[in-house]
Structures are given as structure tokens and as C-alpha cells.
Amino acid sequence: MGSAAPSDALRSLLRGKDPILVLTGAGVSAESGLATFRGPGGLWEGREPTELATPEAFEADPDTVWRFYAWRRTQAAAAKPNPGHVALAALERGRGNVLLATQNVDGLHERAGSVRVLRLHGSLWRLRCTAEGTEHDDMNPDLSPLPPRCRCGALLRPGVVWFGEALPAATLSEAAAAARRAALVIVAGTSSLVYPAASLPVAAREAGAYVVEINPEPTPLSPLVHERLRGTAGEILPRIAEAAGIEPERPA
Ligand code: NAD
């Protein structure tokens, strides 16, 4: 285990028609210049993002948490999909029967052209009223003055799932059903430390799926997968698309 070339077993699943579930995390956007939470460059103004992305941090200091999210929106707006995002969109378009469940909130998969996307952790581009619970899209990176407020006067919060919060139930159950159905699960760029997303590949394996992990580093999931492709998402995902018989494409 630990090569960079897809095995024959993986090639044959990619060339078949059975359902594929792809699970992505922050590592897939690293080559677009967006820092992961746990890797180098993950700190924001010297602070741990995992301590800012919580309901407690927002309650204690909404201004700081909003400055962090305003910065993330600006970074994400300036970033471009990388060859990893592009390869996944091409796999969905060219092969079919591919569902993407992402922990990323940056919108880069959608911008690359992926259509069947389950956003497990919400989106930077959704805002939610803390009083009414209503959500709306807002693509304008400049939300000043911060913190933004709803028309009803209450604070707005980012439409993301914070540490300690439940995932949207319908989205999670759709992802769990896809994990049970999948013949192949490709896990790319996630530390597999954040639950319940990390439990999806394990459930898929128990239900009979072939599980592949793409990550330059080992993770807690590594001992449980059938195949580890060691390398970055931008290197390996285009090889996956190619192994499925799809011509490489250039990033948009
Ligand atoms: P994480 O920060 O915990 O782990 C990132 C993983 O990506 C690590 O295992 C690392 O080895 C790997 N990695 C780094 N560079 C890579 C590359 N070029 N190609 C492939 N893999 C690479 O991130 P996570 O597992 O997604 O979980 C943390 C939480 O942080 C999630 O809830 C997610 O919503 C959020 N997050 C999202 C973004 C984003 O939307 N871009 C960015 C940071 C954090």
C-alpha cells in the first residue's frame, strides 16, 4: 500500500458502471491556495481555526468569528478550482453514477462543474439568521459592516456546520445511503478526524465497497482502506479520471 498508481482492481471499478461515492476534505482545496485547518498555514491571526469554528466562539465574540469568515470568503472567492476539482467534475460528467460528498465549504467543487454535490458542512456562501433560522445565498465577499445582520435585526451567522454541531440530517442520511450503495469510495484530502463524515468510508467498507484513500500523509483511516494513493489531490485525481477512460481537462 502507498503507491501513486491506481491498481487493476481500482481501474476496473472506475471503468464499470457501479455507483461511486467520493468524499473530499480541505486537502483537495490546498492546491488552490486555501489552507487546511490542521496543516501549515492553518492559523488565522495566530489563532487555531478549530477554536473559532464553534458555536461557543460565535456566542462569546461574533465580531472575531465574522472577521475570520469574511477572510475565508475573500480567500475562497479569489481561489480557482485546481486539477483535482476539475478531474472530479470530469469523472461525474464522463462516467456518470458518481456522487460527491464534501466537507469543504468553499464552493470550488461546484465552480469546477460538479453537480451531484452533498455539502456535509454547509457553505461559506450561505448566511443564516440566528433568530429565524432562515438561510439565503450571498456571494458578495464584502459583508461590511461586520457582523452582518438580518432584516429582522438579529445577527446573521455563516451557513456552515461548526465543531460540536449536528450535520444537516437529510444530507447526512443521503450520504450514508450512498455509502451503503457504493461499489467504490474515494476519500481525498481529509484527515478523517472529523465525525460523522469520517464514519462514511468505514460504513461503506462494511457494506462491501472498495475504499481508496488519496492523501500525501497517513490518516486514522489509512489502515482500514483497500488502497492508499500517496500524493496530492491535484496529482492523483487526474490519474483517477484518466483510469476511468476520461481525457484530462485543463482547469477553468
Ligand atoms: P483537515 O484540515 O483536518 O485535513 C486536511 C487533510 O488533507 C490532511 O489529512 C492532509 O494530509 C491532507 N492534505 C493536505 N494537502 C493535500 C493535498 N494537496 N492533496 C490531498 N490531501 C492533502 O481537513 P478536513 O479533514 O476537511 O476537516 C476539517 C474541517 O475543516 C472540515 O469540517 C472542513 O469543513 C473544514 N475546512 C474546509 C476548508 C475548505 O472548504 N477549503 C478549509 C479548511 C477547513
XYZ file of all heavy atoms in Angstrom, residues 3-111:
816
model
N 1.238 3.376 -3.011
C 1.811 3.763 -4.301
C 1.067 5.005 -4.816
O 0.196 5.539 -4.154
C 1.690 2.609 -5.295
O 0.456 2.673 -5.951
N 1.439 5.456 -6.021
C 0.729 6.602 -6.595
C -0.060 6.198 -7.829
O -0.739 7.008 -8.415
C 1.724 7.710 -6.933
N 0.018 4.914 -8.228
C -0.665 4.460 -9.445
C -1.882 3.620 -9.082
O -1.782 2.736 -8.229
C 0.296 3.641 -10.300
N -3.037 3.885 -9.721
C -4.231 3.085 -9.424
C -4.017 1.608 -9.762
O -3.422 1.287 -10.791
C -5.303 3.694 -10.342
C -4.771 5.022 -10.785
C -3.285 4.945 -10.701
N -4.485 0.706 -8.896
C -4.346 -0.742 -9.115
C -5.319 -1.210 -10.200
O -6.228 -0.473 -10.594
C -4.678 -1.476 -7.822
O -6.074 -1.335 -7.586
N -5.159 -2.472 -10.614
C -6.086 -3.044 -11.602
C -7.503 -3.121 -11.042
O -8.478 -2.880 -11.755
C -5.608 -4.445 -12.015
C -4.348 -4.355 -12.873
O -4.051 -3.243 -13.378
O -3.651 -5.378 -13.014
N -7.617 -3.455 -9.748
C -8.958 -3.545 -9.124
C -9.656 -2.185 -9.201
O -10.840 -2.081 -9.559
C -8.815 -3.983 -7.676
N -8.911 -1.141 -8.907
C -9.483 0.214 -8.941
C -9.840 0.614 -10.376
O -10.927 1.149 -10.633
C -8.472 1.192 -8.315
C -8.807 2.676 -8.385
C -10.194 2.979 -7.817
C -7.750 3.492 -7.614
N -8.952 0.330 -11.328
C -9.224 0.646 -12.742
C -10.515 -0.012 -13.214
O -11.325 0.611 -13.908
C -8.093 0.124 -13.634
C -6.878 0.984 -13.588
C -5.704 0.376 -14.346
N -4.566 1.173 -14.037
C -4.317 2.372 -14.578
N -5.097 2.854 -15.507
N -3.282 3.067 -14.188
N -10.688 -1.279 -12.819
C -11.856 -1.977 -13.328
C -13.142 -1.391 -12.716
O -14.147 -1.242 -13.400
C -11.658 -3.485 -13.158
O -12.624 -4.020 -12.352
N -13.107 -0.979 -11.447
C -14.287 -0.326 -10.856
C -14.560 1.031 -11.520
O -15.706 1.414 -11.748
C -14.074 -0.132 -9.357
C -14.250 -1.399 -8.521
C -13.602 -1.249 -7.150
C -15.741 -1.734 -8.368
N -13.483 1.743 -11.846
C -13.645 3.061 -12.487
C -14.240 2.911 -13.887
O -15.017 3.759 -14.339
C -12.298 3.783 -12.561
C -11.773 4.343 -11.240
C -10.299 4.734 -11.359
C -12.606 5.548 -10.799
N -13.901 1.819 -14.564
C -14.390 1.609 -15.940
C -15.776 0.973 -15.959
O -16.425 0.958 -17.002
C -13.401 0.744 -16.725
C -12.099 1.499 -16.904
C -11.367 1.094 -18.154
N -10.257 1.997 -18.352
C -10.049 2.699 -19.448
N -10.879 2.612 -20.465
N -9.004 3.487 -19.543
N -16.224 0.453 -14.793
C -17.559 -0.146 -14.721
C -18.638 0.918 -14.559
O -18.395 2.110 -14.781
N -19.833 0.476 -14.155
C -20.970 1.402 -14.073
C -21.531 1.502 -12.656
O -22.484 2.227 -12.411
C -22.076 0.910 -15.017
C -21.702 1.027 -16.485
C -22.948 0.886 -17.343
C -22.808 1.358 -18.774
N -21.546 1.142 -19.408
N -20.937 0.744 -11.731
C -21.489 0.722 -10.370
C -21.256 2.063 -9.668
O -20.314 2.790 -10.009
C -20.835 -0.414 -9.567
C -21.298 -1.776 -10.054
O -22.383 -1.838 -10.665
O -20.565 -2.761 -9.851
N -22.090 2.361 -8.670
C -22.022 3.682 -8.032
C -20.689 3.970 -7.329
O -20.129 3.100 -6.654
C -23.150 3.664 -6.996
C -23.868 2.390 -7.151
C -23.177 1.520 -8.143
N -20.242 5.207 -7.512
C -19.031 5.697 -6.830
C -19.437 6.829 -5.891
O -20.203 7.713 -6.274
C -17.993 6.232 -7.839
C -17.535 5.128 -8.792
C -16.796 6.854 -7.124
C -16.506 5.581 -9.835
N -18.912 6.782 -4.682
C -19.044 7.906 -3.755
C -17.654 8.493 -3.546
O -16.705 7.760 -3.259
C -19.618 7.430 -2.410
C -19.666 8.490 -1.306
C -20.652 9.617 -1.636
C -20.036 7.859 0.045
N -17.540 9.802 -3.718
C -16.269 10.489 -3.459
C -16.474 11.353 -2.214
O -17.478 12.071 -2.116
C -15.855 11.382 -4.652
C -14.514 12.048 -4.383
C -15.809 10.589 -5.946
N -15.549 11.237 -1.260
C -15.629 12.061 -0.049
C -14.400 12.967 -0.031
O -13.271 12.472 -0.077
C -15.646 11.154 1.192
C -15.608 11.865 2.541
C -16.871 12.693 2.779
C -15.440 10.848 3.683
N -14.604 14.269 0.006
C -13.449 15.176 -0.010
C -13.385 16.025 1.262
O -14.386 16.265 1.923
C -13.459 16.122 -1.231
O -14.604 16.981 -1.164
C -13.461 15.353 -2.534
N -12.160 16.499 1.536
C -11.917 17.386 2.664
C -11.000 18.527 2.246
O -10.649 18.656 1.057
N -10.587 19.306 3.229
C -9.851 20.549 2.976
C -8.608 20.353 2.099
O -8.221 21.257 1.362
C -9.461 21.176 4.308
N -7.975 19.164 2.159
C -6.761 18.915 1.369
C -6.980 19.066 -0.126
O -6.044 19.421 -0.856
N -8.204 18.824 -0.600
C -8.480 18.946 -2.040
C -8.389 20.415 -2.489
O -8.096 20.693 -3.647
C -9.854 18.300 -2.377
C -10.323 18.636 -3.775
C -9.757 16.786 -2.214
N -8.619 21.337 -1.566
C -8.523 22.759 -1.933
C -7.161 23.362 -1.583
O -6.927 24.543 -1.865
C -9.638 23.558 -1.249
O -10.894 23.197 -1.785
N -6.258 22.558 -0.994
C -4.950 23.103 -0.584
C -4.181 23.629 -1.795
O -3.556 24.699 -1.732
C -4.149 22.029 0.149
N -4.267 22.888 -2.935
C -3.532 23.338 -4.130
C -4.210 24.519 -4.837
O -3.683 25.040 -5.811
C -3.338 22.151 -5.087
C -2.288 21.190 -4.543
C -2.465 19.776 -5.065
O -3.351 19.067 -4.543
O -1.737 19.396 -5.986
N -5.359 24.934 -4.328
C -5.967 26.187 -4.803
C -5.553 27.343 -3.903
O -6.053 28.464 -4.049
C -7.492 26.062 -4.813
O -7.909 25.104 -5.752
N -4.694 27.042 -2.918
C -4.186 28.098 -2.038
C -5.007 28.299 -0.777
O -4.780 29.261 -0.040
N -5.986 27.405 -0.506
C -6.794 27.543 0.714
C -6.218 26.611 1.782
O -6.126 25.402 1.563
C -8.260 27.187 0.436
C -8.935 28.041 -0.645
C -10.379 27.605 -0.853
C -8.883 29.529 -0.282
N -5.831 27.188 2.910
C -5.176 26.393 3.957
C -6.144 25.380 4.559
O -7.340 25.646 4.669
C -4.663 27.315 5.053
N -5.608 24.203 4.926
C -6.406 23.250 5.699
C -6.403 23.752 7.149
O -5.647 24.664 7.486
C -5.782 21.837 5.634
O -4.498 21.884 6.241
C -5.630 21.362 4.188
N -7.245 23.140 7.994
C -7.287 23.605 9.388
C -6.083 23.101 10.175
O -5.640 23.737 11.112
C -8.571 23.116 10.075
C -9.748 24.026 9.855
C -9.639 25.186 9.100
C -10.980 23.726 10.423
C -10.732 26.025 8.907
C -12.078 24.554 10.240
C -11.960 25.707 9.477
N -5.582 21.922 9.780
C -4.556 21.288 10.619
C -3.164 21.320 10.009
O -2.219 20.872 10.637
C -4.977 19.847 10.935
C -6.236 19.799 11.773
C -6.723 18.386 12.012
N -7.872 18.390 12.913
C -9.112 18.669 12.550
N -9.389 18.952 11.289
N -10.097 18.668 13.424
N -3.039 21.824 8.817
C -1.738 21.809 8.151
C -0.988 23.117 8.333
O -1.455 24.011 9.053
N 0.169 23.262 7.651
C 0.926 24.508 7.747
C 0.106 25.669 7.158
O -0.630 25.472 6.197
C 2.171 24.230 6.886
C 1.899 22.984 6.120
C 0.780 22.254 6.783
N 0.226 26.832 7.770
C -0.511 28.000 7.270
C -1.959 27.996 7.710
O -2.754 28.811 7.273
N -2.319 27.051 8.607
C -3.712 26.931 9.036
C -4.127 27.990 10.048
O -5.309 28.238 10.224
N -3.156 28.632 10.694
C -3.518 29.630 11.707
C -4.072 30.895 11.064
O -3.670 31.261 9.963
C -2.298 30.011 12.549
C -1.713 28.949 13.472
C -0.580 29.550 14.297
C -2.789 28.387 14.392
N -5.003 31.559 11.737
C -5.522 32.849 11.284
C -5.280 33.873 12.405
O -5.747 33.676 13.522
C -7.022 32.768 10.975
C -7.637 34.100 10.675
C -7.551 34.803 9.509
C -8.419 34.900 11.585
N -8.237 35.986 9.628
C -8.776 36.078 10.882
C -8.848 34.738 12.904
C -9.557 37.090 11.448
C -9.618 35.743 13.477
C -9.958 36.905 12.756
N -4.500 34.901 12.101
C -4.110 35.892 13.118
C -3.607 35.196 14.386
O -3.973 35.566 15.501
C -5.271 36.843 13.420
C -5.638 37.672 12.194
C -6.557 38.862 12.505
O -7.022 38.998 13.654
O -6.772 39.660 11.569
N -2.809 34.117 14.170
C -2.208 33.406 15.301
C -3.171 32.516 16.054
O -2.817 31.991 17.118
N -4.387 32.361 15.539
C -5.378 31.549 16.276
C -5.713 30.275 15.525
O -5.642 30.226 14.304
C -6.651 32.374 16.493
C -6.322 33.643 17.262
C -7.528 34.456 17.533
N -8.470 33.748 18.395
C -9.469 34.352 19.013
N -9.639 35.647 18.890
N -10.304 33.665 19.763
N -6.093 29.246 16.282
C -6.480 27.963 15.703
C -7.878 28.074 15.107
O -8.840 28.353 15.838
C -6.544 26.878 16.801
C -5.221 26.468 17.374
C -4.407 25.601 16.422
O -4.957 25.173 15.388
O -3.228 25.378 16.723
N -8.044 27.808 13.798
C -9.388 27.845 13.209
C -10.376 26.919 13.917
O -11.553 27.255 14.041
C -9.160 27.372 11.773
C -7.746 27.698 11.488
C -7.014 27.553 12.789
N -9.868 25.771 14.418
C -10.798 24.836 15.069
C -11.388 25.433 16.353
O -12.400 24.964 16.846
C -10.087 23.510 15.414
O -8.842 23.822 16.038
C -9.825 22.680 14.174
N -10.737 26.483 16.891
C -11.299 27.132 18.084
C -12.231 28.280 17.720
O -12.963 28.785 18.561
C -10.173 27.628 18.998
C -9.574 26.472 19.770
C -8.219 26.783 20.354
O -7.914 27.982 20.542
O -7.463 25.821 20.597
N -12.175 28.730 16.457
C -13.060 29.815 16.013
C -14.330 29.261 15.377
O -15.370 29.922 15.379
C -12.330 30.695 14.988
C -11.171 31.503 15.561
C -10.251 31.990 14.450
C -11.692 32.682 16.378
N -14.220 28.042 14.811
C -15.356 27.449 14.104
C -16.222 26.669 15.083
O -16.448 25.465 14.923
C -14.845 26.549 12.976
N -16.701 27.363 16.107
C -17.556 26.715 17.115
C -18.691 27.669 17.512
O -18.520 28.888 17.467
C -16.779 26.374 18.417
O -16.459 27.602 19.092
C -15.500 25.595 18.145
N -19.833 27.113 17.933
C -20.935 27.973 18.398
C -20.532 28.776 19.631
O -20.959 29.929 19.789
C -22.062 26.992 18.723
C -21.552 25.615 18.513
C -20.177 25.680 17.925
N -19.671 28.207 20.477
C -19.253 28.918 21.704
C -18.433 30.154 21.345
O -18.613 31.228 21.939
C -18.410 28.003 22.608
C -19.153 26.818 23.200
C -19.367 25.671 22.206
O -18.670 25.631 21.166
O -20.246 24.824 22.461
N -17.519 30.015 20.354
C -16.699 31.163 19.943
C -17.597 32.263 19.376
O -17.397 33.453 19.668
C -15.674 30.724 18.896
N -18.619 31.872 18.610
C -19.508 32.863 17.996
C -20.330 33.578 19.068
O -20.515 34.792 19.012
C -20.432 32.179 16.978
C -21.263 33.147 16.184
C -20.681 33.991 15.241
C -22.638 33.211 16.358
C -21.446 34.895 14.499
C -23.412 34.108 15.621
C -22.813 34.940 14.696
N -20.776 32.827 20.039
C -21.563 33.435 21.106
C -20.722 34.427 21.913
O -21.164 35.515 22.242
C -22.121 32.340 22.023
C -23.242 32.850 22.880
C -24.097 31.709 23.415
O -24.274 30.714 22.690
O -24.539 31.819 24.561
N -19.464 34.043 22.176
C -18.590 34.873 23.013
C -18.109 36.117 22.256
O -17.960 37.187 22.845
C -17.398 34.054 23.491
N -17.857 35.945 20.937
C -17.213 37.034 20.203
C -17.570 36.966 18.702
O -16.736 36.599 17.872
C -15.684 36.911 20.411
C -14.922 38.078 19.816
O -15.550 38.938 19.172
O -13.684 38.110 19.990
N -18.827 37.352 18.377
C -19.256 37.234 16.973
C -18.412 38.084 16.019
O -18.209 37.696 14.865
C -20.720 37.699 16.983
C -20.962 38.314 18.312
C -19.908 37.827 19.254
N -17.886 39.210 16.496
C -17.094 40.083 15.612
C -15.854 39.353 15.101
O -15.550 39.380 13.907
C -16.638 41.348 16.347
C -17.793 42.272 16.630
O -18.861 41.752 17.004
O -17.626 43.484 16.452
N -15.121 38.699 16.033
C -13.888 38.000 15.634
C -14.223 36.829 14.718
O -13.556 36.622 13.696
C -13.128 37.510 16.886
O -12.813 38.662 17.657
C -11.855 36.765 16.524
N -15.234 36.054 15.083
C -15.587 34.889 14.251
C -16.009 35.378 12.863
O -15.609 34.801 11.844
C -16.682 34.034 14.938
C -17.184 32.940 13.999
C -16.121 33.409 16.217
N -16.749 36.489 12.787
C -17.141 37.007 11.475
C -15.936 37.525 10.678
O -15.887 37.378 9.467
C -18.228 38.091 11.583
C -19.562 37.498 11.198
C -20.674 37.403 11.970
C -19.898 36.903 9.934
N -21.677 36.764 11.276
C -21.229 36.456 10.026
C -19.213 36.695 8.740
C -21.889 35.826 8.964
C -19.859 36.060 7.682
C -21.179 35.640 7.804
N -14.964 38.107 11.373
C -13.763 38.564 10.629
C -13.045 37.366 10.024
O -12.560 37.422 8.896
C -12.827 39.366 11.541
C -13.274 40.822 11.677
C -12.173 41.721 12.199
N -11.646 41.278 13.462
C -10.402 40.843 13.668
N -9.521 40.817 12.675
N -10.008 40.460 14.865
N -12.998 36.254 10.785
C -12.390 35.012 10.281
C -13.152 34.519 9.037
O -12.548 34.184 8.012
C -12.405 33.976 11.412
C -12.022 32.569 11.008
C -10.788 32.311 10.411
C -12.893 31.509 11.234
C -10.433 31.003 10.050
C -12.538 30.200 10.870
C -11.314 29.953 10.274
N -14.488 34.520 9.101
C -15.263 34.033 7.951
C -15.230 35.007 6.778
O -15.232 34.588 5.612
C -16.705 33.661 8.362
C -16.693 32.269 8.951
C -16.536 32.076 10.317
C -16.739 31.152 8.130
C -16.441 30.797 10.851
C -16.647 29.875 8.649
C -16.495 29.701 10.006
O -16.388 28.434 10.521
N -15.163 36.298 7.055
C -15.063 37.281 5.960
C -13.739 37.054 5.232
O -13.676 37.092 3.993
C -15.148 38.699 6.519
N -12.676 36.764 5.989
C -11.364 36.461 5.398
C -11.443 35.186 4.565
O -10.953 35.127 3.441
C -10.331 36.336 6.528
C -8.995 35.860 6.078
C -8.024 36.591 5.472
C -8.470 34.526 6.197
N -6.926 35.801 5.204
C -7.177 34.527 5.637
C -8.971 33.333 6.733
C -6.380 33.384 5.581
C -8.186 32.193 6.688
C -6.901 32.238 6.108
N -12.109 34.157 5.105
C -12.221 32.886 4.353
C -13.014 33.077 3.069
O -12.696 32.488 2.036
C -12.884 31.812 5.229
C -11.990 31.387 6.387
C -12.575 30.231 7.154
N -12.591 29.005 6.363
C -13.223 27.900 6.708
N -13.906 27.869 7.832
N -13.178 26.830 5.949
N -14.075 33.905 3.128
C -14.870 34.159 1.909
C -14.021 34.883 0.865
O -14.082 34.570 -0.321
C -16.120 34.996 2.258
C -17.210 34.192 2.952
C -18.252 35.109 3.588
N -18.942 35.944 2.619
C -20.170 35.711 2.162
N -20.863 34.664 2.580
N -20.733 36.532 1.296
N -13.213 35.847 1.316
C -12.369 36.584 0.376
C -11.351 35.648 -0.268
O -11.136 35.682 -1.484
C -11.634 37.726 1.122
O -12.616 38.465 1.829
C -10.889 38.641 0.184
N -10.728 34.787 0.569
C -9.745 33.822 0.052
C -10.390 32.872 -0.955
O -9.828 32.586 -2.005
C -9.196 32.950 1.195
C -8.465 33.678 2.270
C -7.038 33.922 1.856
O -6.710 35.040 1.511
N -6.217 32.910 1.868
N -11.579 32.348 -0.583
C -12.257 31.369 -1.447
C -12.685 32.027 -2.760
O -12.585 31.417 -3.828
C -13.458 30.774 -0.725
N -13.137 33.290 -2.688
C -13.575 33.983 -3.911
C -12.404 34.183 -4.865
O -12.561 34.112 -6.091
C -14.210 35.328 -3.560
N -11.206 34.396 -4.303
C -10.028 34.648 -5.147
C -9.405 33.344 -5.661
O -8.618 33.364 -6.610
C -8.989 35.436 -4.340
N -9.751 32.207 -5.031
C -9.143 30.918 -5.412
C -9.799 30.364 -6.672
O -10.942 30.700 -6.993
C -9.308 29.922 -4.269
N -9.051 29.491 -7.352
C -9.590 28.835 -8.558
C -9.601 27.328 -8.341
O -8.698 26.797 -7.682
C -8.692 29.124 -9.760
C -8.732 30.558 -10.205
C -8.236 30.631 -11.663
C -8.525 31.982 -12.280
N -7.723 33.025 -11.678
N -10.576 26.622 -8.934
C -10.545 25.157 -8.858
C -9.220 24.641 -9.412
O -8.691 25.203 -10.380
C -11.707 24.721 -9.760
C -12.616 25.912 -9.848
C -11.728 27.122 -9.707
N -8.662 23.597 -8.792
C -7.377 23.043 -9.241
C -7.630 21.736 -10.018
O -8.784 21.288 -10.131
C -6.434 22.878 -8.039
C -6.916 21.825 -7.064
O -7.165 20.686 -7.449
N -7.070 22.199 -5.791
N -6.587 21.109 -10.559
C -6.805 19.902 -11.368
C -7.555 18.779 -10.635
O -8.211 17.957 -11.282
C -5.381 19.470 -11.742
C -4.600 20.750 -11.730
C -5.178 21.561 -10.611
N -7.493 18.754 -9.304
C -8.249 17.754 -8.534
C -9.747 17.990 -8.640
O -10.527 17.076 -8.934
N -10.177 19.249 -8.424
C -11.606 19.584 -8.562
C -12.069 19.302 -9.988
O -13.153 18.751 -10.211
C -11.842 21.082 -8.290
C -11.502 21.569 -6.919
N -10.422 22.381 -6.674
C -12.094 21.384 -5.716
C -10.375 22.677 -5.383
N -11.377 22.075 -4.777
N -11.240 19.705 -10.945
C -11.612 19.566 -12.362
C -11.758 18.092 -12.736
O -12.700 17.702 -13.442
C -10.559 20.278 -13.251
C -10.785 19.991 -14.724
C -10.597 21.778 -12.995
N -10.845 17.244 -12.226
C -10.900 15.808 -12.535
C -12.173 15.180 -11.968
O -12.788 14.322 -12.612
C -9.667 15.110 -11.966
N -12.587 15.603 -10.779
C -13.808 15.028 -10.191
C -15.040 15.441 -10.986
O -15.957 14.628 -11.184
C -13.941 15.444 -8.723
C -12.960 14.769 -7.772
C -13.106 15.306 -6.360
C -13.148 13.239 -7.782
N -15.062 16.681 -11.448
C -16.193 17.130 -12.276
C -16.212 16.338 -13.587
O -17.274 15.911 -14.057
C -16.090 18.631 -12.546
N -15.021 16.086 -14.153
C -14.932 15.336 -15.420
C -15.364 13.888 -15.208
O -16.019 13.288 -16.071
C -13.505 15.397 -15.965
N -15.018 13.323 -14.052
C -15.404 11.934 -13.743
C -16.936 11.832 -13.676
O -17.532 10.898 -14.218
C -14.775 11.514 -12.410
C -14.968 10.064 -11.987
C -14.170 9.125 -12.901
C -14.513 9.863 -10.533
N -17.560 12.796 -13.009
C -19.023 12.781 -12.907
C -19.658 12.911 -14.294
O -20.572 12.165 -14.645
C -19.492 13.936 -12.002
C -21.005 14.009 -11.887
C -21.518 15.250 -11.162
O -20.745 15.936 -10.473
O -22.719 15.533 -11.317
N -19.162 13.845 -15.076
C -19.733 14.115 -16.403
C -19.460 12.951 -17.366
O -20.343 12.517 -18.088
C -19.091 15.400 -16.943
C -19.929 16.142 -17.931
C -19.410 17.546 -18.228
N -17.982 17.690 -18.210
C -17.315 18.454 -17.352
N -17.962 19.142 -16.432
N -16.002 18.550 -17.402
N -18.236 12.434 -17.339
C -17.818 11.451 -18.342
C -18.221 10.024 -18.014
O -18.518 9.244 -18.905
N -18.249 9.668 -16.746
C -18.560 8.289 -16.362
C -19.994 8.128 -15.915
O -20.667 7.167 -16.229
C -17.617 7.827 -15.234
C -17.882 6.383 -14.793
C -17.261 6.113 -13.441
N -17.388 4.737 -13.026
C -18.416 4.268 -12.322
N -19.408 5.060 -11.975
N -18.458 2.996 -11.962
N -20.470 9.109 -15.122
C -21.804 9.009 -14.536
C -21.790 8.131 -13.300
O -20.793 7.461 -13.002
N -22.927 8.185 -12.560
C -23.092 7.409 -11.329
C -22.011 7.729 -10.288
O -21.493 6.829 -9.621
C -23.140 5.912 -11.639
C -24.097 5.186 -10.695
O -24.687 5.816 -9.819
N -24.227 3.889 -10.854
N -21.687 9.013 -10.197
C -20.698 9.492 -9.217
C -21.387 10.535 -8.333
O -21.988 11.484 -8.845
C -19.489 10.162 -9.915
C -18.519 10.736 -8.883
C -18.776 9.188 -10.839
N -21.325 10.330 -7.026
C -21.865 11.309 -6.082
C -20.706 11.830 -5.241
O -19.861 11.049 -4.793
C -22.920 10.647 -5.185
C -23.550 11.544 -4.122
C -24.444 12.610 -4.763
C -24.385 10.721 -3.141
N -20.672 13.136 -5.047
C -19.588 13.763 -4.290
C -20.139 14.282 -2.967
O -21.102 15.049 -2.956
C -19.031 14.912 -5.135
C -17.978 15.829 -4.547
C -16.755 15.047 -4.110
C -17.565 16.853 -5.587
N -19.558 13.825 -1.860
C -19.917 14.367 -0.540
C -18.694 15.128 -0.056
O -17.603 14.559 0.044
C -20.263 13.238 0.425
N -18.848 16.404 0.189
C -17.677 17.206 0.570
C -17.844 17.827 1.944
O -18.945 18.223 2.331
C -17.375 18.299 -0.476
O -16.131 18.937 -0.106
C -18.469 19.361 -0.578
N -16.710 17.896 2.651
C -16.679 18.627 3.927
C -16.263 20.073 3.664
O -16.219 20.874 4.590
C -15.665 17.983 4.871
C -16.006 16.549 5.221
C -14.821 15.868 5.895
O -14.641 15.961 7.108
N -14.007 15.194 5.117
N -15.923 20.381 2.433
C -15.453 21.726 2.129
C -16.626 22.698 2.008
O -17.708 22.323 1.563
C -14.629 21.730 0.837
C -13.341 20.955 1.007
O -12.971 20.638 2.132
N -12.676 20.645 -0.079
N -16.353 23.931 2.382
C -17.406 24.942 2.401
C -17.105 26.044 1.384
O -17.791 27.053 1.325
C -17.535 25.542 3.827
C -18.044 24.494 4.805
C -16.207 26.115 4.343
N -16.034 25.832 0.571
C -15.528 26.917 -0.279
C -16.245 27.059 -1.620
O -16.059 28.063 -2.316
C -14.011 26.745 -0.512
C -13.637 25.364 -1.049
O -14.403 24.795 -1.851
O -12.565 24.858 -0.663
N -17.014 26.058 -2.043
C -17.753 26.138 -3.321
C -16.915 25.799 -4.544
O -17.402 25.902 -5.675
N -15.669 25.345 -4.365
C -14.796 25.109 -5.534
C -15.229 23.890 -6.356
O -15.041 23.869 -7.567
C -13.331 24.980 -5.111
C -12.673 26.302 -4.686
C -11.237 26.066 -4.229
C -12.682 27.322 -5.821
N -15.814 22.870 -5.715
C -16.295 21.720 -6.499
C -17.390 22.166 -7.477
O -17.380 21.789 -8.645
C -16.877 20.637 -5.587
C -15.838 19.812 -4.890
N -14.852 19.119 -5.561
C -15.646 19.547 -3.574
C -14.098 18.466 -4.684
N -14.548 18.714 -3.478
N -18.318 22.960 -6.980
C -19.415 23.430 -7.834
C -18.852 24.312 -8.950
O -19.258 24.206 -10.107
C -20.443 24.227 -7.010
C -21.225 23.382 -6.001
C -20.556 23.294 -4.627
O -19.318 23.469 -4.527
O -21.291 23.044 -3.650
N -17.884 25.170 -8.598
C -17.298 26.053 -9.622
C -16.543 25.255 -10.682
O -16.426 25.684 -11.828
C -16.391 27.104 -8.968
C -17.233 28.266 -8.405
C -16.395 29.219 -7.589
N -15.224 29.711 -8.286
C -14.197 30.295 -7.685
N -14.210 30.472 -6.380
N -13.173 30.719 -8.391
